[in-house]
Amino acid sequence: MPADKITARTNEQVKLVKRLQRRKHREQTGLFSIEGVRIVEEALPTGLIRTLFFSPKLLESGRGESLLKKALAADFPVYECTEDVLGEMSQAVSAQGVLAVVEKPKWEFVPKGLFVVADEIQDPGNMGALIRTSLAAGAAGLIVTEGSVDLYNPKVIRATMGAVFYLPHWLYRRKEAVKVLKEGGIPIVAADLVNAKDYYTVRYPQNMAVVIGNEARGVNRLFLKEASDTVKIPLIGPVESLNASVAAGILLYEILRQQRGI
């Protein structure tokens, strides 16, 4: 089926994509936009793509041609745009000729496995890397507390490199998060520097939640109060703290090592 064409920046589809650049509109519609060949490839099998836009630039590579062929065979509208029109919708520094509008994924919370709690993580790069690292380490899901950067912020999406489609995630207020974890029998372990044990001295259970705190203020006191353990990563050099996603990676892979009996 041939793609319809869009040649005017004032087209209603173009306006919709531009509105999705604002968090308020993403929350109202349950939609967000993604850009680039790789992340659109990751999104295709999920069935979440609602509309796809491409420009002639996409067809400059065999990989782009293959992506378009799959998109045209799928059950959503595909629009061919001029470079000008796609540029109007794009927020990427280096556009690859493809953009899609996607439905936010939804998951039921099942209290089993290793969970990561992103407690007011505000940097988009940190949040994206945290999502990707959590998926790589086999986490069951990510709980995000109020005050955190929007998971569907374009910078977060780019940093996840597609992991946002495969790692279950939920947005809760802190009290709700604690309640959900407690009701599911999931103990909380907080990453903090004060009154904490070295992370490698603690034995971690199969079902648990590890809390990674705000870049400046650390873990909120509610989680510290409810935590069964507080752990720290020793800092040998003259630095005050580690990047949130780096700290999460160290903790998650120690937990994974223990759980696999390595």
Side-chain angles (χ1 to χ4, degrees):
M1 183 182 198
D4 292 330
K5 294 190 177 182
I6 298 177
T7 57
R9 294 184 178 195
T10 54
N11 183 280
E12 285 303 316
Q13 292 289 339
V14 176
K15 291 179 181 178
L16 167 65
V17 174
K18 290 186 70 176
R19 287 196 293 271
L20 291 177
Q21 294 172 5
R22 299 192 295 273
R23 180 172 187 167
K24 178 181 177 182
H25 199 70
R26 293 193 294 268
E27 290 175 346
Q28 288 174 345
T29 61
L31 302 172
F32 64 106
S33 63
I34 58 175
E35 295 185 58
V37 172
R38 177 171 179 169
I39 194 163
V40 174
E41 287 174 336
E42 293 284 351
L44 262 175
T46 68
L48 294 170
I49 294 180
R50 293 294 166 261
T51 317
L52 185 136
F53 305 86
F54 74 97
S55 71
K57 185 177 179 66
L58 179 65
L59 304 179
E60 292 176 0
S61 71
R63 186 174 176 183
E65 288 181 345
S66 175
L67 173 60
L68 180 59
K69 184 178 179 180
K70 292 175 184 175
L72 289 170
D75 189 26
F76 53 77
V78 177
Y79 295 96
E80 181 179 357
C81 306
T82 62
E83 300 295 350
D84 226 24
V85 168
L86 199 70
E88 181 74 9
M89 295 186 280
S90 175
Q91 290 185 286
V93 176
S94 180
Q96 296 180 18
V98 64
L99 182 152
V101 172
V102 185
E103 184 181 328
K104 292 181 180 180
K106 298 179 181 68
W107 287 277
E108 179 185 353
F109 183 82
V110 178
K112 183 179 180 182
L114 169 61
F115 294 89
V116 179
V117 179
D119 184 26
E120 204 179 348
I121 300 296
Q122 296 180 331
D123 180 79
N126 274 346
M127 183 66 85
L130 181 57
I131 292 170
R132 192 176 173 205
T133 301
S134 298
L135 181 64
L142 177 76
I143 292 173
V144 181
T145 69
E146 74 267 30
S148 296
V149 64
D150 179 21
L151 292 189
Y152 304 101
N153 175 302
K155 292 180 180 178
V156 175
I157 295 298
R158 281 196 293 274
T160 72
M161 298 185 73
V164 70
F165 294 114
Y166 299 99
L167 180 73
H169 49 268
W170 308 270
L171 179 61
Y172 288 120
R173 295 191 176 278
R174 288 186 186 89
K175 287 183 179 179
E176 293 172 336
V178 168
K179 181 182 178 185
V180 164
L181 292 169
K182 276 190 166 184
E183 288 177 348
I186 304 291
I188 295 170
V189 173
D192 198 62
L193 293 173
V194 180
N195 298 322
K197 305 170 187 174
D198 287 339
Y199 76 97
Y200 50 80
T201 65
V202 174
R203 301 304 300 173
Y204 300 101
Q206 291 290 324
N207 300 324
M208 61 169 290
V210 59
V211 185
I212 306 297
N214 174 270
E215 292 91 341
R217 295 180 293 280
V219 175
N220 183 273
R221 59 190 177 190
L222 175 62
F223 284 120
L224 292 174
K225 178 184 174 184
E226 298 292 343
S228 58
D229 264 310
T230 305
V231 299
K232 66 179 179 180
I233 299 168
L235 301 175
I236 309 305
V239 295
E240 292 184 356
S241 63
L242 293 174
N243 173 286
S245 60
V246 171
I250 293 170
L251 294 176
L252 290 174
Y253 275 92
E254 171 59 18
I255 295 166
L256 179 64
R257 182 192 70 78
Q258 288 189 19
Q259 292 181 347
R260 289 195 170 189
I262 299 171

